[in-house]
Every structure is written in C-alpha cells, then in structure tokens.
Amino acid sequence: PSHHSDKPGIAPDGMKLVPVYASEAPAAALARGGVQISSARQQIMGVTSARAQYRSLDRVVSVPGQVDIDETRVSSVSTRVSGWVQKVFVDSNFEHVTKGQPLFTVYSPELLATEQEYLLAVQARKTLGQSSLVEVSAFGTSLLEAARMKLSLLDVTPDQIHDLETAGKPEREVTIYSPAFGHVLERKVFPNQYVTPETALYKIVDHSSMWIYAEVSESDIPYVSEGQEAVVTSEAFPGHKLVGRVSFIVPHLMEETRTERVRMEFPNPGLKLEPGMFVNVELHRGLGRRLTVPVDAVLDSGTQQRVFVDRGKGVFEPRTVT
C-alpha cells in the first residue's frame, strides 16, 4: 500500500497497480499507504471487516504417542531363603493376579528350622511366663518376639505365623504370595526348581497407571513443560478421553528426527490403555489474554505483517503488527 505511481505498472510485490481516481479518494484525505474502496467495489472484491478483540489463546501441540508400562509400578518376586519350588499356582505370562494371591510354594530347610525355633520360643514363653521373677518372664517374651521377627524377615506373613502357632508344628512347604496387583510380565518359576534369594521368579506390573511416550518437534518444545495437562484419544476407545500429566522431558534432542522425547503419566481406569498401543496426544498450553484478529486479515510479506484498519466510508489504513 505504500507504493504509488503516476502510471500503470507492477508493484514490488508483483501485483498489478490499480488506478485510484481523484473522485474516489482525495490524496490529502488518506493516511500514508491508505486506500479507499467504494462499497460497490468492496462487494465485487469480497472485502469484509472484523473487530479486533482480546481473547484467551490456547496453543495445542498434537503428536502421536505410544503406551508403555509405568516402571514405578513393577514388582519383582523372589524368596528370602534358598529351597525347592513345590507347587506353582500362577504359571503363565500376562496372567492377572491380585495382591496376596498365592503364587507358589517352596520347601526350604532353613525356613523349616526357623519355624521350629519359633515353636520352641512359644513353648519357652509359656514356661518362663510362670516364673515369679519379672526378668525371667520378660526374657521369654523377648525371645518369642525375636523368633517372630526372624520369620517376618523371611517373608512369612502374620497369618502364616498365627497358623504355625495354632498348629504347633512346622509347615514343610511355605506359600509365597503376590506383593502387588497387576499382570505377570515375566514368569521364571517351575516345579522342582532350586531357587535362591538372587533368583528373580516373577515380574508383576500394575496397569492401573501407564506411561505414554511422544516425540515433540523442535518448534513445539517451548510449549511443553513438566506438570502440563495432556489429553489422549484412541481408536481403541472411540468417544473417550483420558487426562494425564507430563511427568518427564528427556533433556536431549534426538538428532536424527530433531524431536524431544516426552513422557506422560495417565491413570488407566478399566485398563483401556495397553502396552504398545498407539494413541493421539494433545498438549494444551495457555498463551494468556492477547489482542487478536482473524488470521485471514494478516498480510504477510515474509519480513513484515500488516493488517488494514477500517476507518469507515471505504477508507482502510495499514498497520504493522507482530
């Protein structure tokens, strides 16, 4: 709009110069770069106006994501003693287990001897408790407590200790129970297998919370931060949305893809999210209250952006904007 000529030709931006007649726009009435367009010509050209107004803007970063297990919810099962596996109750991968569910039984000479020590401590307490000397009676109680603590440190549950005391004889096989709710990710226990405390027998993962990884492009990195809300949709559960949070941003850019890896944590009601599943992720970032105009009103030359202010009576004045 700042280019004028006294003869027909082509403007610097490549557009054909349009004549403006004195009867349509007196030169003194227009600001520098302004134009005046009659209402009839506005209709032919399809010129429209809109009000500039303040809005709360929201930047949405949409990226594909992939579901993975929550590594903080993985439990490893092993024994505290060496021995031989007898019965296996959970014998396949991906089987669902609940906390406290029997997994297998183990025969351990070490554990059997500890049970016998506990029963002897129970008998000693009964005998020493009849003593008139307070120190002797207290010694019997402390002896029993030490034997009970030793069993607890070997993963014998309070219920098992109670049953042992009630029965009055040691159990040859001791049952090992699941320490967590979830699915069996790995099962490495078999009947008649010799196991030690170093042997990892089960790996159980709780799917009630899942991680989702996404790769954010370099240009979108400023709009992603830890703690930010994330929304997930998937073809596996159409019409449903899951809301989570960004829990970690890898502080290194992947040079091959020019992206940054983002980890999000999502609650998983109904276990809809499954490891390996592809999902759609939306990360919302509020940009605050800004003065806005329709995007179509901005003329971008590559180095400058301009809009035209409608002054009425067909007069339009240019404004440089950012």
Side-chain angles (χ1 to χ4, degrees), residues 37 74 112 165 205 210 315:
I37 308 174
V74 178
L112 195 64
E165 188 172 344
V205 58
M210 302 295 285
V315 177

Side-chain angles (χ1 to χ4, degrees), residues 114-125:
T114 306
E115 290 179 332
Q116 187 63 52
E117 289 178 11
Y118 179 78
L119 293 176
L120 291 174
V122 171
Q123 188 62 38
R125 185 191 61 174

Side-chain angles (χ1 to χ4, degrees), residues 165-223:
E165 188 172 344
T166 303
K169 60 180 182 179
E171 290 287 338
R172 184 178 183 278
E173 299 176 17
V174 174
T175 302
I176 306 299
Y177 297 93
S178 172
F181 164 93
H183 293 81
V184 176
L185 197 62
E186 293 181 7
R187 171 246 180 173
K188 296 181 179 179
V189 58
F190 302 92
N192 302 318
Q193 176 185 357
Y194 181 74
V195 296
T196 65
E198 295 81 15
T199 309
L201 303 176
Y202 286 96
K203 186 177 289 186
I204 299 172
V205 58
D206 182 359
H207 286 179
S208 62
S209 175
M210 302 295 285
W211 284 353
I212 293 180
Y213 288 97
E215 294 185 7
V216 177
S217 65
E218 194 171 1
S219 60
D220 288 329
I221 290 175
Y223 304 105

